[in-house]
Amino acid sequence: MEKMIRGLFDSVIDVQLDPQFQVMTYADAMDKYGSDKPDLRIPLEFVNIKEDMQNEEFKVFSGPANDPESRVIAMRVPEGNEKLTRKQIDAYTKFVGIYGAKGLAYIKINSLTQGKEGLQSPIVKNISEETLFNVIEKTGAKEGDVIFFGAGKTKIVNDSMGALRAKIGEDFEIFSKDWAPLWVIDFPMFEKDDNRLYAMHHPFTAPQIDSIADLDTNPEKLLSRAYDMVINGYEVGGGSIRIHKQDVQSKGLIEKLQNVVDKGFVRVEYTEAVEILKQCGQSFEYPVEWGIDLQSEHERYLCEKHFNAPVVIMNYPKDIKAFYMRLNDDGKTVAAMDVLVPGIGEIIGGSQREERLEVLDQRMQEMHIDKEVMGWYRDLRRYGTVPHSGFGLGFERLLGYITGVPNIRELIPFPRTPGSAKF
């Protein structure tokens, strides 16, 4: 691959890349640059100062410094005093805010011989002189330099300060070379979202394990056999060693499917499901009350945490369901059901159809549906029908569930996305 890329650059734009591309682990890339595709032309690096700030009274730094899920870093900008005006620093403060940062602390180093008096920043008064000069020593900062700080949750610091590093490098053309090809390796096998683990690349990437038991020991710490090629901060290619052992590929997937077979389906009324959610003590993005259309977070809580089994929810409020679903005797709910499975949520939806013409007409009136437009549908009841039901199966979701493919877009043969179909 390197030979092909070098030959391509040489023949097309007359550029001779390094004879051997640099190799960097994902962990080092995130630690030093806050990005898994760092632009190594830019000679700016993060320095970890978490331990230095743990005992400071300045909560902006000491809070994250004592939080295991946070980090505190410093980044030196050589000769920043000449490059960075207060207006530019204010603009950069707004810029990092895009990534969730609450602010952008900095120190301008005017003199290293006058103690705190030689340092210019609103934060200088809040941090001990010993700590300040420890940070200056760690970063290798000199007179005329500027040090920027990032403190907070690890992802926010990485995203905001990684983007700031790239922007400063580009704005002031702080480049040590013209081209910087790089291999990034040892990616995490999984990433966490909504308290669930997902394959960072895709579910067919091989993990770095010695035995199948390693998958159960600490899956969040597993590394994958994936790799990316990065040039000047752009990912130009990626790949992985695929899983080629059946026991590894089926691990977890077979257990998940066996759980469905062994436990069977739990049946629960919509009203009962709402009460379970209201009393569970968990915070949801969408508040729970009777009459809402259950969201994915609600459905997955029920089947993954409360029941840990497939769930059939029955008898939904009539106001959130279609007019053709059969009205129950209580006059408030309809004979509708959804089938939920762990890992996905809803996979099947269905209902008994309303066969009584007078009830159907009343429902259409309540929902402001023109009976004339739907005359053909009413005729199916007018001239005789029988009690009947129907359901819709999420076929792509089912395929994803039984194959372990997490992204439904990889399973849709004809994606119904804007601009993807002519008619």
Side-chain angles (χ1 to χ4, degrees):
M1 179 62 72
E2 285 188 24
K3 183 178 180 180
M4 183 193 75
I5 296 297
R6 283 196 298 269
L8 183 66
F9 272 65
D10 188 14
S11 61
V12 176
I13 59 175
D14 195 27
V15 167
Q16 286 72 49
L17 295 178
D18 297 337
Q20 185 169 353
F21 292 0
Q22 184 174 343
V23 178
M24 180 180 297
T25 66
Y26 171 89
D28 283 344
M30 299 304 295
D31 185 61
K32 294 180 179 179
Y33 309 109
S35 171
D36 60 0
K37 46 182 182 293
D39 187 345
L40 296 189
R41 296 175 303 164
I42 303 171
L44 305 180
E45 292 187 7
F46 296 173
V47 174
N48 291 308
I49 57 170
K50 192 170 185 176
E51 293 184 2
D52 300 274
M53 295 295 175
Q54 286 178 341
N55 296 319
E56 290 293 323
E57 294 183 4
F58 189 41
K59 298 300 182 183
V60 173
F61 286 171
S62 63
N66 289 282
D67 178 3
E69 296 183 353
S70 297
R71 69 180 305 197
V72 186
I73 64 100
M75 182 178 70
R76 169 198 172 210
V77 180
E79 301 178 355
N81 273 359
E82 296 180 4
K83 297 182 176 75
L84 297 163
T85 65
R86 179 56 190 267
K87 183 178 180 181
Q88 288 169 319
I89 292 176
D90 289 343
Y92 286 145
T93 301
K94 291 181 179 179
F95 175 76
V96 297
I98 297 172
Y99 300 88
K102 295 180 179 179
L104 179 62
Y106 68 92
I107 293 177
K108 288 187 172 184
I109 303 175
N110 298 324
S111 172
L112 290 175
T113 60
Q114 300 178 28
K116 278 191 175 185
E117 297 300 319
L119 308 178
Q120 180 183 342
S121 169
I123 69 169
V124 168
K125 63 180 182 295
N126 300 311
I127 303 173
S128 69
E129 184 170 318
E130 180 183 1
T131 296
L132 289 171
F133 278 86
N134 283 343
V135 170
I136 290 172
E137 182 179 357
K138 278 188 173 182
T139 60
K142 303 174 181 178
E143 291 183 359
D145 292 350
V146 169
I147 300 175
F148 284 112
F149 297 86
K153 294 297 182 182
T154 298
K155 185 179 188 311
I156 292 177
V157 172
N158 287 341
D159 289 350
S160 60
M161 296 302 291
L164 179 65
R165 171 186 175 272
K167 185 166 181 57
I168 290 175
E170 293 172 359
D171 286 351
F172 298 101
E173 297 184 350
I174 307 176
F175 299 128
S176 60
K177 58 180 75 173
D178 292 329
W179 298 95
L182 167 72
W183 286 108
V184 180
I185 63 171
D186 293 347
F187 282 82
M189 184 68 188
F190 302 105
E191 56 185 347
K192 201 169 188 178
D193 183 33
D194 194 24
N195 293 318
R196 294 183 67 245
L197 294 178
Y198 296 88
M200 176 171 274
H201 272 64
H202 55 69
F204 308 113
T205 297
Q208 296 185 29
I209 56 174
D210 295 321
S211 70
I212 192 70
D214 293 340
L215 291 171
D216 293 321
T217 305
N218 196 348
E220 292 185 48
K221 299 295 184 182
L222 284 179
L223 299 179
S224 72
R225 300 177 71 180
Y227 42 82
D228 283 348
M229 179 185 288
V230 178
I231 299 179
N232 291 4
Y234 293 92
E235 179 187 331
V236 297
S240 68
I241 302 297
R242 302 300 199 259
I243 295 175
H244 48 276
K245 295 182 179 179
Q246 185 175 2
D247 58 343
V248 177
Q249 183 67 71
S250 62
K251 178 65 177 174
L253 176 60
I254 298 300
E255 294 174 353
K256 178 180 70 174
L257 298 176
Q258 191 64 49
N259 182 59
V260 173
V261 174
D262 293 341
K263 291 196 172 182
F265 290 74
V266 176
R267 289 166 173 78
V268 60
E269 296 279 330
Y270 169 90
T271 299
E272 182 184 350
V274 168
E275 287 303 312
I276 291 171
L277 293 168
K278 290 171 68 175
Q279 298 175 19
C280 71
Q282 178 158 321
S283 176
F284 295 108
E285 181 180 356
Y286 296 93
V288 179
E289 60 181 16
W290 198 94
I292 69 164
D293 195 1
L294 298 180
Q295 302 297 310
S296 178
E297 59 177 340
H298 306 139
E299 295 171 341
R300 291 182 58 178
Y301 175 86
L302 290 168
C303 61
E304 293 174 14
K305 295 185 178 180
H306 186 81
F307 293 109
N308 189 27
V311 178
V312 181
I313 299 181
M314 307 175 293
N315 299 322
Y316 281 80
K318 66 176 185 178
D319 292 336
I320 62 173
K321 291 298 183 180
F323 73 94
Y324 55 77
M325 296 185 179
R326 195 180 200 278
L327 188 67
N328 289 327
D329 292 340
D330 60 13
K332 299 188 301 181
T333 62
V334 291
M337 65 86 190
D338 285 339
V339 179
L340 319 177
V341 292
I344 292 182
E346 181 186 344
I347 199 169
I348 300 173
S351 72
Q352 183 176 344
R353 305 314 199 226
E354 184 58 76
E355 82 281 5
R356 299 163 296 182
L357 181 59
E358 68 279 6
V359 178
L360 182 69
D361 284 345
Q362 180 62 34
R363 290 283 290 135
M364 292 175 71
Q365 183 177 345
E366 291 174 357
M367 302 183 75
H368 307 289
I369 297 173
D370 189 340
K371 292 196 293 184
E372 295 300 323
V373 173
M374 297 297 294
W376 62 273
Y377 191 83
R378 295 178 66 249
D379 286 346
L380 295 173
R381 273 64 177 167
R382 185 199 306 272
Y383 299 118
T385 186
V386 295
H388 63 287
S389 300
F391 70 92
L393 168 66
F395 187 66
E396 290 87 358
R397 290 190 181 190
L398 177 63
L399 287 180
Y401 194 65
I402 63 178
T403 61
V405 177
N407 193 331
I408 196 170
R409 288 178 296 181
E410 298 180 24
L411 297 161
I412 300 175
F414 304 103
R416 292 179 294 177
T417 52
S420 65
K422 293 183 179 179
F423 306 104

